Amino acid sequence: MAAEQADFYNDDGSANASVFLNATADSESEHLMASMSEPSSWTSDAVVTEFGDAWYTYDFQTHTVSANSDNGWLLRAGESDSYARMRVNQFDYPSADGDVDFAIDFDVQPSGASQFTQSASFAGNIPASGGEVCFDFNGKSTTGCDTANWDLKVGVQGRSLYLRSNSGVSGDGDGGVFGPMAWNEISTYTSATTTPGGGDISTHYSADTTGGVFSDSSWYAYNLQGQHQLWPNYRVYLIDTDTTDDQSTVYALQVTSYYNDAGTSGHPRVRWVEVDLGAEQ
């Protein structure tokens, strides 16, 4: 990353609303045009979801993993016509038998509904050697991960633990994830498509994708001062088109907005320049 934009964040890592709300694409263009140096290392892409690792907690003393029930997510079904609010309430790794035991609870907004009207629970076990288990929250049952109707996947592979939606690089469905949000906030939602204040969030869902630095160092903050919008931090990322070639083209990229001129969400704006690392731009 060429410009970290540390001034956009407080010492505890939370967003500095004043800086975010007063920054503009014009005021932050200097970071895109600045001289840049070769980074000490490059980050390769991997499967990225909005779940990240915010759904569990690792204990460095006992080397065990447990559920982080302080966070919740909104999940769109693979069929794209229904939704659920969910959180992980149990995750024991290793459990008493050495395997992985978990329990995830859902409030379901069925197809055609505008609010949560049903509930579902997904409890299961995965061998410590690894594996995946999938769940259909409309059918309220586990289902094959090789089928089309799964909505949430829980997986263990080596030291990696992951949740995935039936979307993007993870599945053939049209699912998606929105979050994380603190449970004391998301628990006030009665719908997965509108905020408690009536704002439309149906376009806020993200499909699983490949990524690296964009997930580790996000380009936005959400819900500043109670406004359910995405605000860019104008970070500048370096993109190497071929890390095996020292002469490959490198670009500097900056996300400047998530909205069009009419204020409609889902219209990201990105600008970039080709850079010569170590030389003046």
Side-chain angles (χ1 to χ4, degrees), residues 63-135:
H63 303 292
T64 58
V65 177
S66 58
N68 180 4
S69 58
D70 291 335
N71 290 327
W73 287 261
L74 299 177
L75 176 66
R76 185 172 63 209
E79 298 89 349
S80 78
D81 59 353
S82 56
Y83 302 82
R85 174 177 57 202
M86 57 158 284
R87 69 168 166 173
V88 181
N89 280 316
Q90 177 193 356
F91 198 88
D92 298 324
Y93 179 50
S95 61
D97 58 7
D99 293 340
V100 179
D101 296 331
F102 64 87
I104 303 171
D105 293 322
F106 301 82
D107 296 298
V108 180
Q109 180 176 317
S111 176
S114 59
Q115 294 186 324
F116 303 121
T117 61
Q118 302 177 12
S119 61
S121 295
F122 178 24
N125 174 278
I126 299 176
S129 58
E132 297 178 331
V133 185
C134 289
F135 188 71

Side-chain angles (χ1 to χ4, degrees), residues 47-57 68 71 73 88 153 155 160-165 177-180 208 215-216:
V47 176
V48 174
T49 77
E50 294 298 303
F51 293 117
D53 59 5
W55 55 275
Y56 66 83
T57 300
N68 180 4
N71 290 327
W73 287 261
V88 181
K153 178 186 293 182
S160 297
L161 312 171
Y162 54 86
L163 300 181
R164 292 179 182 166
S165 67
V177 184
F178 179 39
D208 293 3
S215 59
D216 296 336

Side-chain angles (χ1 to χ4, degrees), residues 6 15 36 51 58 60 102 144 168 195 218 233 253 261-262 272 280-281:
M36 302 176 194
F51 293 117
Y58 178 73
F60 288 92
F102 64 87
T195 67
S218 175
N233 53 27
L253 178 147
D261 290 338
W272 63 90
E280 292 189 4
Q281 304 301 310

Side-chain angles (χ1 to χ4, degrees), residues 134-136 142-151 166 170-173:
C134 289
F135 188 71
D136 172 10
T142 57
T143 187
C145 294
D146 57 350
T147 66
N149 62 330
W150 67 272
D151 301 314
N166 190 351
S170 296
D172 295 329

Side-chain angles (χ1 to χ4, degrees), residues 5 8-9 15-25 28 178 204 218-235 237 255-259 265 269:
Q5 301 291 77
F8 278 66
Y9 296 89
N16 185 322
S18 176
V19 177
F20 268 93
L21 297 175
N22 285 287
T24 67
E28 303 304 315
F178 179 39
H204 284 36
S218 175
W219 58 268
Y220 68 89
Y222 173 69
N223 197 28
L224 300 177
Q225 296 185 339
Q227 302 179 50
H228 297 280
Q229 298 181 12
L230 303 181
W231 302 86
N233 53 27
Y234 300 98
R235 281 173 168 158
Y237 304 88
V255 182
T256 61
S257 181
Y258 186 65
Y259 304 90
S265 62
R269 297 185 179 186

